[in-house]
Amino acid sequence: MIQLTLQEVAEATSGRLVLGDNGASASTVVRGESQTDSREVTAGNIFFARHGEETDGHLFAGKAVDLGAALLVVEREVDDRVPQIVVADATIALGALATEVVRRVREAGDLTIVGITGSNGKTTTKNLVAAMAERVGTTVASAKSFNNEVGGPLTMLRLEENTRTLVAEMGASAAGEIQRLTSMAPPQIGVVLTVGLAHAGGFGGINSTFEAKSEMVQDLPETAVAVLNRDDGYVGRMAELTRARVRWFGLHPEADVRATDIDADANGTRFTLHADGASLPVSFKVLGEHHVTNALASATVGLELGLTLSQVVEVLEGATRAARWRMEVMGGRDGITIINDAYNASPDSMSAGLKTLAQIKKPTGRTVAVLGAMSELGEYTIEEHLRIALLAVRLRISELVVVGAEARHLHISAINEGSWDGECVFFESRDDAFDYLESSLRPDDTVLVKSSNAAGLNLLGDRLGEAFA
């Protein structure tokens, strides 16, 4: 974080400064990272004691001080060993401090903010864009999938005086959340990838999802750039909602940055990248043809940041995986390939994963889909799980292994299709599924492990990857 005094932090958060017993004064400077999880605190950090869904951060303030926290932002006084700033709401204070830090860095330097949203592909695109931005100068990008009212500000607070680019994932599970993040860090480049049924339970349907995702571009000024997916009809409509210059990406022939000659296999995807009248071949090692969309979005941003097309291709070809637990290729023993794609799942990404599995099947092996539940679909939950089961049957996936009670509809629907005889099995627990797979997988099998994060199948994928390493 940039250098701020305790008094300046108090003013930014509209809080009351309470000096501790360590001799600090209002002019004492803090510049450590901010944390909301006491387990992540290191010396010099600021700890925000939030009321979480399951616990109260104030209960862990003492632990944060023990680990070296230099300042506590609290809703009630808790520990007088270090200074405290007492605020009405610690989460709101976190956002307010992030807003002030972004403002100061923008005014003092040459900061470009890239905001990325979409129902699928945010983290993959963010990682690729960050790699592009590093070619320009010092870059701060969202860690993990830090894209909500907590993760977003924590990322923004990592800005330093010399930061050239902030690459911020901006997710939402309800209307207004993206607008809140863009008000903290107004993008000069706003990216919208897709509009799908991810988090549909919170939004209330696809049209509400469209309205929420369009918050990314609605407030962009005329000097900004809206980077939009030409292949997604809902994203395409956003061009009418923004004052910004629109830059299209996609497979559509009218896209400004597009791909042709796509050829995907177990080693990645090859395609020809076209932009601004030039074309270059790309060997993209990230598994799954659907990730070409993310590559095109990041390429568009890279070009807007000033990279040449050759530099953009270098970055794309240097990427070895989308992100941790996203189409991550593991295994290898006896020709068995484990694809761990279980960090998150929506109907669109689940469909894309199954299609990739069918596409990269080895001639002498089987395809095995290990699937868990897709979360946050609301009224669409049963319908979408049934649809995925039907797709697995139609793609002639060799075996479907369904894990967890929340995903039982997948199992029932696959059986009801009548196309299989014992090729779909169900397990309540990850451990039971692992035991079955460890004993039943055959040489040259290709295995996709896919679920929402809440189902925890990413851990099953890791175990399988280790077992067949």
Side-chain angles (χ1 to χ4, degrees):
M1 188 179 81
I2 64 173
Q3 181 173 295
L4 293 172
T5 66
L6 292 175
Q7 184 61 41
E8 287 173 325
V9 175
E11 291 172 357
T13 57
S14 301
R16 174 172 58 89
L17 176 60
V18 179
L19 296 174
D21 294 338
N22 64 351
S25 69
S27 61
T28 296
V29 170
V30 290
R31 65 174 305 148
E33 288 193 14
S34 297
Q35 305 289 353
T36 59
D37 185 338
S38 62
R39 296 168 296 183
E40 302 292 329
V41 170
T42 59
N45 285 180
I46 303 173
F47 177 66
F48 284 77
R50 296 179 57 251
H51 285 283
E53 294 181 1
E54 298 180 359
T55 189
D56 180 356
H58 294 78
L59 301 176
F60 303 95
K63 170 78 175 301
V65 175
D66 292 341
L67 291 173
L71 172 65
L72 304 176
V73 179
V74 296
E75 295 170 13
R76 62 176 185 273
E77 295 182 36
V78 290
D79 195 313
D80 58 7
R81 289 179 290 168
V82 298
Q84 304 170 73
I85 294 176
V86 183
V87 298
D89 185 304
T91 302
I92 292 175
L94 177 67
L97 183 60
T99 302
E100 177 64 10
V101 167
V102 170
R103 184 190 67 79
R104 291 188 179 216
V105 175
R106 289 190 73 165
E107 288 185 353
D110 185 20
L111 177 67
T112 298
I113 299 173
V114 182
I116 301 171
T117 196
S119 298
N120 300 290
K122 291 186 296 296
T123 300
T124 300
T125 304
K126 175 260 299 180
N127 290 342
L128 292 170
V129 169
M132 305 262 181
E134 288 287 356
R135 299 290 185 102
V136 176
T138 305
T139 299
V140 169
S142 305
K144 305 176 185 177
S145 290
F146 279 15
N147 60 25
N148 61 11
E149 64 179 354
V150 177
L154 289 176
T155 299
M156 299 168 198
L157 287 171
R158 289 169 43 214
L159 290 175
E160 300 284 355
E161 289 84 352
N162 65 341
T163 303
R164 289 287 306 278
T165 311
L166 169 63
V167 185
E169 255 187 81
M170 295 182 175
S173 55
E177 293 182 2
I178 292 174
Q179 193 278 330
R180 185 156 48 246
L181 292 170
T182 59
S183 68
M184 296 178 194
Q188 287 104 317
I189 303 175
V191 183
V192 187
L193 299 166
T194 57
V195 173
L197 283 176
H199 308 297
F203 289 122
I206 192 72
N207 289 322
S208 296
T209 303
F210 163 76
E211 292 175 3
K213 298 299 182 185
S214 66
E215 293 170 10
M216 171 61 73
V217 301
Q218 287 181 8
D219 292 332
L220 291 178
E222 294 178 356
T223 54
V225 182
V227 176
L228 303 179
N229 184 354
R230 185 64 175 81
D231 301 329
D232 187 302
Y234 284 98
V235 177
R237 287 165 49 191
M238 294 183 191
E240 303 171 1
L241 304 178
T242 185
R243 294 171 294 163
R245 173 169 58 90
V246 174
R247 188 85 158 145
W248 297 105
F249 67 90
L251 306 185
H252 195 284
E254 295 179 2
D256 299 302
V257 180
R258 62 191 181 93
T260 61
D261 309 317
I262 298 173
D263 180 28
D265 59 26
N267 297 313
T269 309
R270 289 157 299 284
F271 60 92
T272 301
L273 176 63
H274 307 271
D276 302 324
S279 302
L280 284 175
V282 179
S283 179
F284 192 46
K285 299 181 183 67
V286 177
L287 189 64
E289 188 174 316
H290 55 290
H291 282 302
V292 172
T293 295
N294 304 325
L296 293 173
S298 63
T300 309
V301 176
L303 293 169
E304 289 295 325
L305 291 174
L307 273 66
T308 65
L309 192 63
S310 295
Q311 289 175 316
V312 165
V313 171
E314 286 177 7
V315 173
L316 293 178
E317 294 193 332
T320 57
R321 67 179 183 186
R324 181 79 166 102
W325 296 319
R326 291 170 172 85
M327 298 304 284
E328 185 173 8
V329 180
M330 310 169 77
R333 176 165 61 85
D334 299 328
I336 296 173
T337 301
I338 309 295
I339 304 168
N340 193 351
D341 193 37
Y343 185 83
N344 219 331
S346 67
D348 290 338
S349 68
M350 188 77 85
S351 297
L354 288 173
K355 290 173 183 176
T356 298
L357 176 63
Q359 188 175 35
I360 66 174
K361 175 184 181 295
K362 298 173 185 176
T364 56
R366 303 177 304 155
T367 51
V368 180
V370 183
L371 306 182
M374 298 178 288
S375 301
E376 301 182 61
L377 293 177
E379 64 181 288
Y380 301 96
T381 297
I382 295 177
E383 174 187 345
E384 291 302 322
H385 281 87
L386 297 181
R387 189 175 67 81
I388 291 300
L390 177 60
L391 178 63
V393 174
R394 289 179 174 174
L395 289 172
R396 307 182 74 84
I397 301 300
S398 305
E399 183 172 26
L400 183 60
V401 179
V402 180
V403 185
E406 295 81 2
R408 188 183 290 274
H409 292 295
L410 273 169
H411 176 60
I412 295 172
S413 180
I415 292 175
N416 288 342
E417 280 303 305
S419 302
W420 292 352
D421 181 16
E423 289 91 353
C424 184
V425 293
F426 172 80
F427 298 98
E428 288 276 359
S429 73
R430 295 192 303 265
D431 289 342
D432 289 343
F434 173 81
D435 291 341
Y436 171 78
L437 289 161
E438 187 180 35
S439 62
S440 65
L441 290 181
R442 307 171 191 171
D444 291 336
D445 279 354
T446 303
V447 183
L448 172 70
V449 184
K450 180 72 173 169
S451 73
S452 287
N453 193 30
L457 295 201
N458 55 330
L459 304 178
L460 173 59
D462 281 347
R463 287 186 68 187
L464 289 169
E466 293 170 4
F468 292 97

